[in-house]
């Protein structure tokens, strides 16, 4: 279950996350410090349950709840506040639950057991999808990853081509800039990796990337990738291959021989 917490007070966010993990150990938790950030996360991630602090500066929790209900009427929302006088307003909006702070795990379990819209089990969580045959494409829940830098996508593509093997910073420089001055670009790799990590974290997929000391690689078990499945001998992936591999990158041609002779 993907759960979103929105509260402008850091200690409240930390405490709420701790209690939710006790109540729902297998959940993925996303945290926002204001209403706009909460709405941004909600549009990127398939959220099942939202905990909203009512009194937040800028955009109140009730305003956030209204916007969420407009686009997703069946999303369960539990309002949290230190003031009981908001209860009537919350129930008039058909909010799923209402909790008075401080909140503990027992309170959370009780509210989840009495949600307006029961949450159905969706089985295995959806993985980040990488398409390597043809044009390289990275998406989550049908939406392309919103990288802040254009070269970040190519970093992810190259790490996918490595199929779980590690790449160094210099190696990434050689691939991304070929004959250009590598020294001037090595520091830029750090910015691209940070962008990649931030993007993956925003969709709850930070475990996809391993980042050690001058070592970067993907965890093949954390992604749904046609190339990885091809190398495992998956018939569906084998049938999907048409002699094309990451067409937008010149270095992709180097992998075609290995693919066709695997």
């Amino acid at each position: 279950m993907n759960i979103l917490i929105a509260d402008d007070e850091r200690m409240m966010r930390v405490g709420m996350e701790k209690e939710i993990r006790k109540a729902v150990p297998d959940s993925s938790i996303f945290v926002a410090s204001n209403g706009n950030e909460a709405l941004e996360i909600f549009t990127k991630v398939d959220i099942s349950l939202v905990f909203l602090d009512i009194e937040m500066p800028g955009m109140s929790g009730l305003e956030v709840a209204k916007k969420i209900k407009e686009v997703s009427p069946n999303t369960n929302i539990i309002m949290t506040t230190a003031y009981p006088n908001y209860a009537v307003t919350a129930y008039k909006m058909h909010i799923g639950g209402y909790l008075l702070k401080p909140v503990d795990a027992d309170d959370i379990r009780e509210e989840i057991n009495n949600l307006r819209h029961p949450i159905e089990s969706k089985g295995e969580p959806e993985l980040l999808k990488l398409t390597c045959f043809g044009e390289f494409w990275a998406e989550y829940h049908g939406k392309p990853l919103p990288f802040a830098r254009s070269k970040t996508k190519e970093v992810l593509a190259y790490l996918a081509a490595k199929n779980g093997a590690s790449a160094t910073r210099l190696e990434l420089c050689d691939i991304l800039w070929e004959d250009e001055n590598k020294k001037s670009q090595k520091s830029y790799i750090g910015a691209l990796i940070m962008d990649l990590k931030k993007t993956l974290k925003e969709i709850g997929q930070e475990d996809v990337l391993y980042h050690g000391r001058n070592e970067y690689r993907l965890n093949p078990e954390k992604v749904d990738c046609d190339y990885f499945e091809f190398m495992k001998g998956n018939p569906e992936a084998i049938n999907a291959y048409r002699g094309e591999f990451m067409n937008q990158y010149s270095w992709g041609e180097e992998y075609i021989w290995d693919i066709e002779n695997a």
Side-chain angles (χ1 to χ4, degrees), residues 191-223:
L192 297 179
I193 293 296
M194 288 299 294
D195 181 30
L196 178 57
K197 291 174 68 176
K198 179 177 180 292
T199 304
L200 293 174
K201 185 176 181 179
E202 286 178 348
I203 60 172
Q205 298 294 305
E206 56 265 45
D207 290 345
V208 166
L209 177 67
Y210 172 80
H211 177 196
R213 184 176 181 182
N214 194 27
E215 179 186 5
Y216 314 99
R217 59 181 169 83
L218 298 185
N219 184 345
E221 302 304 319
K222 296 291 184 178
V223 297

Side-chain angles (χ1 to χ4, degrees), residues 139-150:
E139 63 183 70
Y140 185 66
H141 283 292
K143 298 178 182 179
L145 266 60
F147 300 117
R149 302 170 185 267
S150 60

Side-chain angles (χ1 to χ4, degrees), residues 7 32 34 49 53 61 64 77 85 88 91 109 120 126 160-161 169 179 184 199 211 250:
D7 197 306
N34 57 63
L49 177 60
D53 176 33
V64 176
I77 300 173
N85 53 301
V88 174
Y91 282 119
R109 291 190 194 97
E120 297 180 1
E126 185 168 339
R169 181 171 296 199
D179 297 329
S184 65
T199 304
H211 177 196
S250 58

Side-chain angles (χ1 to χ4, degrees), residues 13 16 30 41 49 53 86 91 114 137 148 150 177 184 189 233 247:
R13 292 195 302 271
M16 177 70 73
F30 300 81
I41 293 172
L49 177 60
D53 176 33
Y86 288 108
Y91 282 119
N114 292 281
W137 189 250
S150 60
W177 291 286
S184 65
I189 290 294
N247 289 346

Side-chain angles (χ1 to χ4, degrees), residues 55-80:
E55 291 196 333
M56 290 189 291
M59 186 185 301
S60 72
L62 292 173
E63 291 175 294
V64 176
K66 183 178 179 181
K67 290 181 180 295
I68 289 176
K69 286 293 185 181
E70 286 173 355
V71 298
S72 183
N74 291 332
T75 294
N76 288 290
I77 300 173
I78 295 176
M79 308 303 299
T80 63

